[in-house]
Every structure is written in C-alpha cells, then in structure tokens.
C-alpha cells in the first residue's frame, strides 16, 4: 500500500495545501514542530509523532523542531487563557527530556533535531517586522479561529506576544525551507492556523511552493476532550509520570467504539491484521482482544518489551485472570498504584468498603449492589455483609463492582 493510501485508510489526513494526495508518495523532507513547555510528551503528542515516523518509513527525511524560542512565548492554539511564561533554563531542561523520547519512538531511524532558538534568538526585531511582518495581513490573522475565540465577547483576550506566535512559526518554515530544503510541515489539526503561516511566506519571499498537512485531532468520544486527558490529567510518555502499568491500563480501558480508530492511529499493524483483530473482537467483545492488542503494541513502542510484559502481567492480576494472592511485591506495588486500595480489619462491613472506596456513591447504593449480587470477591459473586479472615489470601483480595475490572478495589488486611 502506498503511503498516501495508508494515511487515508488510517484517517490521518484532515487539511492539506496540495491537491493531489499522491504528492506524498514522492519522498522529500518534512518537519514537525514540538512544543517544549513540559519535559515529556503525552499520548496526544504521540499520534503526530507516529505520523512523522510513517513518513520516515516511506523514505521521507525528517526534521524534528523543538521550540526553544517559541516555547518562551507560548502557543495560543487550543488555549482559552494566556499561558504562563517559562524561563530559558526550564525550556532547555524540557528539550532534553523530549529529545530522548523522540529518539526512542523513532527506533534509531536517522532524523535531524533542531532548536529554533538557534536562529530566532538572533533575529533583529526591526528586520523581522520589515522582512517577515510585512507579508502578513492583520485581517487574515484576526480571522484565525483561536484568535477569534480569544478576542470575542466571551474570550479572555490575547497578548501581542501570543498573537505573534503564528508569525514566528511561519518564519521557522521559511528558515527550514531555505536552509534545510524542508518542503512539508505536518502537525495536528489544532495547529492548522499556525501551519498556514509558512506556506504563503515562502511563496512571497522565495517565489516557490511548500506545503503543509494536518491530521485530525484525536478526541475522546466519551468526554469530548482532547485525547490523552483524563480527570487526573495527561497520560505521559515519561514512566516517572505515568508508569508503564498505568499506561497499559489506559489503553486496555478504551471504549469499543474507539479501539478500531486507535489501532490505526497508534500502531504500525497493517490493514489485514487490524481488520482481523476487529472482526474477532466484535465476535466476542467481552474478551477485549482489540484493547489487549492495542495496549501491548503501544506500551511496547513507548516503554519497550520488558516493561510491556511486566505491565501485561500486572493487568492479569487486576482483571482476575491470575489470582491476586499470587502477585509478588513488585507487581503489588504497581497494582496499588493502578487501583484504589484500602486496609481493613477482619469483620469489616462490605457496604462500608464499597462506599468509602468509591465503588458505591453511598451506603444505600452499596446495599443495593449486594442485594442484586453485583459485588465480587476475586471474581466470585458474594452476598455476605462482612469481609472475613478466610476471604483474604496472603492478606489481600480484589473487590469488584459489576463485570468491569476497572471498577475494582484492592483490599488488604491492616
């Protein structure tokens, strides 16, 4: 399958400046800009990073551009309020963390990593206004969606600094075009307004054509929020922020309605394999074959096979495929981090544990769950009112509400 065909099948093309999609099948050089406001990428970033790798696998040369300069200003796209400014030391630290993650995700494939502070840091303000600013229409800039939203009646306003961000990104593309022969910029669709800044600038200053295309922003269908954001916050690629087990758990818990799309976006599995996985999954959705394969592939890609195998093993305890009593201490440490856990004395009321752990919203709901036989201990339905010593194996048990293993609590003897 050609690159263009594969990208279309995976749903990875939203906006583009070129008419013929086959233009992508003739490898050239592209760049992807990475914000350096934090020291780790998230799974939201992961989608477009993997898009970059697909181009590389098809023969494209790549430039990964970290925003050492633009991160000092802050990208206003997708933000309701002004960003807090970061200092140069923090940005430099963030770049080091991001760089190591990019190298891992590219699996040793050659790429050029550049920092736009290397050229933007020495740009003279008057020269910038004369040579770059004069090519932009204020009418066009004000009409861009993120500017309009911030300047509208319900908006919080936008500073001149953030308003100018788009011009800096356009300058980046022009610099890369003239100095590195970069002919394409890629990114997520929430960056489309900024991405359009470079194409006309190159045309006006150089009399030549360059292009851009964006992939759709991945949205959590259940929440309507940008993918990778949960109630607790972002899902990070940094194992110190989101452990490999928590990372694995995130993917294995995705909804059936999303798993087909995520297999296409976040794995390198070919079409035939994904079609077969989805077919088997639909025949027996409770087995969660598609989610398991998704979790295995993405965790292996981000954290390596060793950490993926460990996360998979821990998940088998959480899902009841293995008895929780058999889990050794390294696995127990991860289980305690992945699940709510409570310590009790023998004879503690099941209703009390259900309500205090959050499995039930109240004591009355907890009693209804017990009466309807919707409470499980280590996978077995119970109707008893109290937890007894014999219920604990090696001082622990798994208490679950309903059939979804994500609604589980680890209960240990105090």
């Amino acid at each position: 399958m050609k690159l263009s065909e594969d990208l279309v099948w995976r749903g990875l093309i939203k906006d583009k400046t070129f008419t013929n999609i086959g233009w992508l099948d003739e490898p050239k050089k592209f760049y992807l800009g990475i914000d350096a406001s934090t020291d780790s990428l998230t799974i939201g970033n992961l989608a477009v990073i993997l898009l970059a790798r697909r181009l590389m696998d098809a023969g494209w040369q790549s430039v990964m551009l970290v925003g050492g300069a633009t991160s000092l200003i802050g990208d206003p796209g997708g933000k309701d309020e002004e960003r807090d400014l970061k200092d140069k030391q923090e940005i430099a630290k963030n770049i080091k963390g991001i760089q190591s993650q990019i190298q891992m995700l590219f699996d040793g494939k050659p790429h050029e990593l550049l920092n736009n502070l290397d050229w933007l840091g020495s740009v003279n303000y008057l020269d910038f206004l004369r040579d770059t600013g004069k090519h932009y229409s204020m009418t066009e800039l004000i009409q861009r969606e993120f500017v309009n939203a911030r300047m509208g009646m319900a908006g919080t306003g936008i500073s001149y600094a953030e308003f100018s961000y788009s011009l800096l990104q356009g300058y980046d593309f022009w610099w890369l075009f003239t100095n590195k022969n970069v002919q394409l910029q890629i990114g997520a669709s929430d960056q489309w307004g900024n991405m359009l800044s470079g194409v006309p600038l190159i045309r006006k200053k150089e009399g030549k054509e360059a292009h851009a295309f964006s992939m759709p922003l991945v949205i959590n269908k259940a929440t309507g929020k940008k993918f990778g954001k949960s109630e607790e916050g972002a899902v990070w690629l940094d194992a110190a922020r989101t452990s490999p087990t928590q990372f694995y758990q995130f993917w294995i818990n995705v909804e059936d309605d999303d798993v087909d799309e995520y297999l296409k976006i976040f794995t390198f599995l070919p079409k035939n394999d994904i079609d077969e996985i989805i077919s088997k999954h639909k025949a027996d959705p409770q087995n969660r074959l598609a989610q398991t394969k998704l979790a295995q592939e993405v965790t292996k890609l981000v954290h390596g096979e060793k950490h993926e195998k460990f996360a998979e093993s821990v998940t088998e305890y959480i899902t009841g495929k293995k008895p929780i009593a058999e889990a050794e201490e390294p696995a127990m440490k991860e289980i305690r981090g992945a699940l709510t856990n409570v310590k009790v004395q023998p004879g503690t009321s099941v209703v009390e544990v259900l309500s205090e752990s959050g499995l039930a919203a109240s004591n009355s709901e907890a009693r209804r769950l017990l009466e309807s036989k919707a409470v499980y201990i280590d996978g077995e339905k119970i109707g008893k009112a109290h937890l007894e010593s014999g219920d604990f194996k090696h001082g622990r048990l798994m208490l679950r509400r309903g059939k979804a293993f994500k609604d589980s609590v680890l209960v240990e003897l105090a």
Side-chain angles (χ1 to χ4, degrees):
M1 187 182 295
K2 292 181 180 179
L3 172 65
S4 60
E5 296 170 342
D6 185 62
L7 295 181
V8 169
W9 173 73
R10 293 180 188 271
L12 293 177
I13 297 181
K14 185 178 186 298
D15 300 301
K16 55 185 177 63
T17 59
F18 45 88
T19 303
N20 182 7
I21 196 73
W23 184 83
L24 291 171
D25 296 323
E26 299 178 6
K28 305 167 191 69
K29 185 183 283 190
F30 75 91
Y31 96 92
L32 170 64
I34 303 292
D35 179 61
S37 58
T38 62
D39 63 357
S40 174
L41 302 170
T42 69
I43 58 172
N45 304 125
L46 179 62
V48 74
I49 293 283
L50 297 185
L51 171 61
R53 187 171 148 182
R54 294 182 204 281
L55 266 68
M56 294 163 65
D57 289 346
W60 281 75
Q61 294 178 283
S62 68
V63 171
M64 303 304 293
L65 180 64
V66 291
T70 42
S71 296
L72 293 170
I73 303 301
D75 178 7
K79 298 293 180 182
D80 296 327
E81 297 180 348
E82 196 88 3
R83 288 175 181 254
D84 294 330
L85 292 177
K86 310 286 185 179
D87 59 40
K88 291 183 179 180
Q89 291 74 25
E90 184 177 358
I91 295 297
K93 172 180 171 291
N94 292 345
I95 288 173
K96 288 184 179 180
I98 291 169
Q99 181 177 1
S100 64
Q101 292 175 351
I102 290 172
Q103 289 174 336
M104 173 185 61
L105 292 170
F106 284 171
D107 194 28
K109 297 181 184 298
H111 63 280
E112 192 170 4
L113 186 74
L114 299 177
N115 183 342
N116 61 12
L117 185 62
D118 291 341
W119 54 86
L120 286 174
S122 59
V123 172
N124 178 280
Y125 184 62
L126 288 177
D127 290 341
F128 181 79
L129 291 179
R130 286 174 57 86
D131 299 335
T132 302
K134 70 175 183 178
H135 293 296
Y136 290 90
S137 162
M138 281 295 295
T139 303
E140 179 191 350
L141 292 173
I142 290 174
Q143 289 174 346
R144 291 191 177 177
E145 184 177 348
F146 66 86
V147 177
N148 237 323
R150 292 272 288 274
M151 292 180 66
M153 291 184 64
T156 59
I158 186 170
S159 70
Y160 177 74
E162 286 199 352
F163 180 79
S164 302
Y165 184 94
S166 188
L167 275 67
L168 296 176
Q169 188 160 326
Y171 187 96
D172 280 341
F173 197 176
W174 169 80
W175 191 94
L176 292 169
F177 180 86
T178 56
N179 292 276
K180 296 290 182 177
N181 196 32
V182 170
Q183 299 182 51
L184 173 69
Q185 181 183 4
I186 66 171
S189 60
D190 60 343
Q191 283 290 309
W192 185 241
N194 289 331
M195 291 169 67
L196 285 177
S197 295
V199 173
L201 183 63
I202 292 167
R203 185 183 304 122
K204 291 173 182 178
K205 287 174 69 71
E206 305 298 326
K208 297 178 180 178
E209 291 297 323
H211 290 289
F213 89 82
S214 70
M215 65 169 287
L217 195 63
V218 186
I219 300 295
N220 184 322
K221 293 184 178 67
T223 64
K225 295 181 179 179
K226 188 175 179 179
F227 185 69
K229 302 287 185 180
S230 66
E231 292 180 0
E232 295 77 27
V235 179
W236 302 94
L237 305 194
D238 183 355
R241 293 196 184 198
T242 301
S243 75
T245 298
Q246 292 170 325
F247 188 83
Y248 186 97
Q249 287 289 311
F250 174 86
W251 295 103
I252 208 166
N253 281 323
V254 304
E255 301 294 336
D256 287 344
D257 290 344
D258 297 319
V259 70
D260 185 4
E261 177 186 355
Y262 295 167
L263 280 166
K264 293 175 182 176
I265 294 173
F266 293 100
T267 79
F268 292 100
L269 295 172
K271 183 179 185 299
N272 290 344
D273 288 2
I274 291 177
D275 288 345
E276 182 179 357
I277 291 167
I278 294 301
S279 176
K280 290 180 178 179
H281 172 77
K282 288 180 177 178
D284 184 15
Q286 290 189 351
N287 197 37
R288 301 184 75 79
L289 170 66
Q291 284 91 340
T292 300
K293 188 62 176 177
L294 175 67
Q296 290 170 341
E297 291 293 315
V298 186
T299 307
K300 190 184 302 181
L301 180 70
V302 172
H303 294 292
E305 187 170 0
K306 178 181 177 181
H307 289 293
E308 185 278 320
K309 291 297 183 186
F310 180 69
E312 187 175 354
S313 175
V314 170
T315 300
E316 289 181 334
Y317 294 119
I318 294 174
T319 58
K321 291 182 179 179
K322 289 182 179 179
I324 190 68
E326 296 179 2
E328 298 182 356
E329 189 52 34
M332 286 305 305
K333 182 179 178 181
E334 290 292 324
I335 293 169
R336 293 184 188 106
L339 295 177
T340 299
N341 52 91
V342 295
K343 292 187 178 293
V344 302
Q345 298 288 344
T348 298
S349 163
V350 174
V351 167
E352 178 184 336
V353 177
L354 287 170
S355 58
E356 290 188 2
S357 67
L359 287 183
S362 63
N363 286 344
S364 58
E365 183 188 4
R367 283 190 285 270
R368 286 196 298 271
L369 289 170
L370 272 176
E371 291 168 1
S372 61
K373 305 293 184 182
V375 180
Y376 297 75
I377 289 179
D378 294 336
E380 299 292 331
K381 288 184 181 180
I382 65 163
K384 61 171 64 182
H386 297 86
L387 297 177
E388 302 164 357
S389 297
D391 296 321
F392 294 85
K393 306 294 189 297
H394 290 177
R396 65 181 80 115
L397 61 82
M398 196 77 78
L399 189 70
R400 194 176 79 227
R401 179 197 70 194
K403 295 183 177 181
F405 63 81
K406 62 182 178 180
D407 296 323
S408 301
V409 170
L410 172 66
V411 185
E412 297 184 270
L413 287 175

